[in-house]
Amino acid sequence: MTEINPDRTNGIIAIDVSPQSNGQYLCQILSSLSDRPDDTMNFYGQTKEHAIAIGLEYLAKEYRQKAEDSQNNIDWDALELSDSGQPIEKHYHVILHYEEIAEAESKFEAVHNAMMGNTVIENAIISAIKISPDIEIEPLERAWE
């Protein structure tokens, strides 16, 4: 008999990728960690790696939102003051996610156009998750080649 885990702290994320007749790829993700463990999520991509990336980004978005929602007692602009009246600095893992479908003459133009102005910041999903100061998180950095 399978033991039920109400907190869903243990589980499996299964990924299956298959080619489609139109040349695209279908990525199916099933997570037993989900609130809907029987739902299969479908994502399409130009290549198998593209389909997996789209599926994992969607899954990451769901879990970022759950992480933020679990901290619903955090007031956006509330300050905690020390006994001396100075604001106490906290630590936050800030994640910025932005996607677009770009029409451009080259890959360079597509990237350059996305980077111009504040479009990325204005249209991004921004998550700020309060963290312990000693947690080992290495933020992703753009590797300029």
Side-chain angles (χ1 to χ4, degrees):
M1 184 166 151
T2 304
E3 185 176 327
I4 296 175
N5 182 0
D7 293 334
R8 297 191 195 280
T9 55
N10 296 315
I12 294 172
I13 296 173
I15 298 174
D16 181 60
V17 182
S18 57
Q20 303 296 289
S21 60
N22 61 3
Q24 296 179 356
Y25 287 80
L26 168 64
C27 174
Q28 295 183 304
I29 297 180
L30 177 62
S31 171
S32 65
L33 296 169
S34 171
D35 293 338
R36 322 171 297 274
D38 294 332
D39 285 351
T40 299
M41 298 171 281
N42 296 318
F43 307 94
Y44 293 89
Q46 195 68 31
T47 64
K48 65 181 178 183
E49 294 82 6
H50 184 227
I52 292 169
I54 291 169
L56 290 178
E57 287 294 348
Y58 179 86
L59 205 57
K61 179 187 77 133
E62 277 198 348
Y63 283 104
R64 283 192 300 270
Q65 186 63 52
K66 287 179 183 184
E68 274 195 302
D69 291 349
S70 72
Q71 298 180 336
N72 58 5
N73 60 339
I74 296 177
D75 188 354
W76 272 81
D77 56 357
L79 295 177
E80 186 178 336
L81 302 177
S82 67
D83 292 339
S84 65
Q86 296 296 317
I88 298 172
E89 297 238 346
K90 309 259 185 342
H91 291 81
Y92 295 89
H93 185 200
V94 179
I95 304 167
L96 177 87
H97 182 82
Y98 171 79
E99 291 186 37
E100 74 171 331
I101 303 299
E103 289 187 24
E105 294 176 4
S106 68
K107 183 176 179 178
F108 171 82
E109 288 293 323
V111 171
H112 179 74
N113 292 343
M115 292 171 55
M116 295 301 296
N118 292 324
T119 303
V120 172
I121 300 298
E122 291 169 355
N123 295 330
I125 297 170
I126 302 174
S127 302
I129 301 163
K130 186 177 174 186
I131 60 171
S132 168
D134 59 349
I135 191 168
E136 294 183 31
I137 295 178
E138 290 294 325
L140 293 175
E141 295 180 7
R142 172 73 178 164
W144 298 102
E145 299 172 8

